[in-house]
Amino acid sequence: MRIAVCMKQVPAASEGNMDPETGVLIRTGLETVVNVYDLAALEAALRLKEAYGAEVHVFTMGPAKAEGVLREAFAMGADEGYLICDKAFAGADVLATSYTLKQAIECAGNYDLILCGRQTTDGDTAQVSGALAKWMDIAHVSWTAEITDISKDTVKVRYNMDNRMICAQVQLPCVISVEKDPFIPRMPSLKLKISGRKKEICTFSLQDLEDGDEENYGLKGSATRVRKIFPPQRTQRQELVSMDKEKAADYILQILDVAAREERI
Ligand SMILES: Cc1cc2nc3c(=O)[nH]c(=O)nc-3n(C[C@H](O)[C@H](O)[C@H](O)COP(=O)(O)OP(=O)(O)OC[C@H]3O[C@@H](n4cnc5c(N)ncnc54)[C@H](O)[C@@H]3O)c2cc1C
């Protein structure tokens, strides 16, 4: 069995990294980490590797330094790493990101399972995995908490729908995005960390992909344009008051009434 895992490098800080003039995220000079949800996806893949003897291949799209994601994945037990890196891929939205991932995954071969994290901590749309499945024309399951019973053609999953857990049998190949908590990532192994430093990484640039048309990638291939991005204004008010309980009840009702009227306006 071959499993592809999509992992993204994200800024370590979630705030204070926007250009106030242009409203664009400033990524240069920022400390970066592996998206925490994607470590869970890798952990899920490694558990399947242990149970079924799979090969685990990691794909990351980003600048050259996103190679760090692959090195970290090797230290946890991933077998192969693919860096999808080209100036043409910059500024990609969900549509272009998922299309680029599809192109790279198909370029690397056939996979039985493609695992993603539930969402990233920067873009945070939680839409890439669904879009990837659509591009590949295969089934998609999100919010997955358990992956079991892999046979030649199917896999059983348990996923979370608000207050219900649903069990389903899904046709392979498929894309599964996983929840974070059921797949707490293992600690990297020192031995794998050392061997992973020298491991060869395969880089895909635009010219390596089957669709070499620049118009379908990055900003050019994106359907959305961010006009402005800004942190929300903090409107929280705090007040310390002291009164007896009857007066306190009236006081709270008054505040709620004002808040409700403001909301209506
Ligand atoms: C309002 C807004 C403004 C933005 N502005 C900018 C900007 O100015 N500059 C900029 O660079 N980006 C910007 N982005 C981010 C960019 O659009 C997203 O990073 C990109 O579309 C991927 O979507 P996501 O991060 O929401 O992934 P999600 O859908 O949240 O991710 C789900 C899963 O897909 C996989 N995945 C996602 N991305 C990758 C990847 N690159 N490589 C491998 N696997 C991946 C991972 O497994 C991940 O857990 C912005 C996003 C939004 C919503």
Side-chain angles (χ1 to χ4, degrees):
M1 183 172 53
R2 278 159 58 96
I3 303 176
V5 186
C6 298
M7 299 180 70
K8 185 183 180 188
Q9 191 172 59
V10 294
S14 60
E15 284 188 8
N17 52 356
M18 287 166 203
D19 184 326
E21 294 297 316
T22 61
V24 167
L25 289 172
I26 305 165
R27 288 173 192 255
T28 25
L30 268 186
E31 198 195 323
T32 51
V33 291
V34 181
N35 179 40
V36 62
Y37 291 89
D38 300 345
L39 290 172
L42 178 60
E43 176 60 31
L46 294 173
R47 289 185 196 176
L48 294 172
K49 175 180 172 173
E50 282 153 6
Y52 298 91
E55 251 188 58
V56 175
H57 296 190
V58 173
F59 292 78
T60 189
M61 181 179 97
K65 72 171 186 167
E67 179 188 320
V69 171
L70 304 175
R71 299 282 169 216
E72 210 165 318
F74 292 149
M76 282 173 66
D79 299 296
E80 302 286 345
Y82 294 89
L83 177 64
I84 312 158
C85 182
D86 195 302
K87 268 203 285 213
F89 303 151
D93 68 355
V94 168
L95 190 75
T97 300
S98 54
Y99 185 66
T100 316
L101 286 172
K102 170 231 174 348
Q103 283 287 325
I105 289 169
E106 287 183 350
C107 202
N110 293 320
Y111 290 90
D112 303 282
L113 259 186
I114 296 150
L115 297 185
C116 292
R118 189 181 77 174
Q119 67 198 77
T120 61
T121 52
D122 61 345
D124 209 2
T125 63
Q127 292 172 355
V128 165
S129 63
L132 175 60
K134 177 73 184 149
W135 282 121
M136 299 184 90
D137 200 18
I138 55 178
H140 173 249
V141 188
S142 15
W143 306 304
T144 303
E146 201 175 281
I147 306 169
T148 55
D149 297 310
I150 299 189
S151 70
K152 196 170 153 285
D153 302 314
T154 59
V155 59
K156 281 189 184 161
V157 291
R158 200 163 58 85
Y159 63 98
N160 201 349
M161 287 284 279
D162 284 337
N163 53 0
R164 279 172 299 158
M165 287 304 276
I166 297 182
C167 296
Q169 191 168 34
V170 186
Q171 188 75 34
L172 294 175
C174 64
V175 180
I176 295 178
S177 78
V178 305
E179 288 287 355
K180 181 164 62 68
D181 295 344
F183 303 105
I184 293 168
R186 64 196 59 198
M187 294 298 287
S189 123
L190 183 61
K191 197 172 147 209
L192 290 175
K193 200 171 181 169
I194 292 167
S195 61
R197 273 190 212 139
K198 290 183 234 131
K199 220 173 157 75
E200 207 172 313
I201 281 170
C202 176
T203 303
F204 286 139
S205 60
L206 180 63
Q207 64 186 25
D208 300 309
L209 305 181
E210 195 194 331
D211 176 3
D213 185 350
E214 209 173 324
E215 296 293 314
N216 295 330
Y217 298 92
L219 202 57
K220 289 182 185 165
S222 294
T224 49
R225 291 284 176 276
V226 178
R227 290 174 61 192
K228 194 172 180 188
I229 188 164
F230 53 90
Q233 263 188 348
R234 295 191 189 280
T235 53
Q236 197 183 19
R237 275 176 297 177
Q238 281 180 339
E239 210 180 330
L240 190 64
V241 288
S242 169
M243 60 187 76
D244 64 47
K245 57 185 180 208
E246 275 79 24
K247 278 196 181 140
D250 283 343
Y251 186 72
I252 291 168
L253 282 173
Q254 227 176 44
I255 292 171
L256 290 175
D257 193 38
V258 172
R261 263 185 278 138
E262 279 176 3
E263 187 93 326
R264 256 179 263 136
I265 292 162

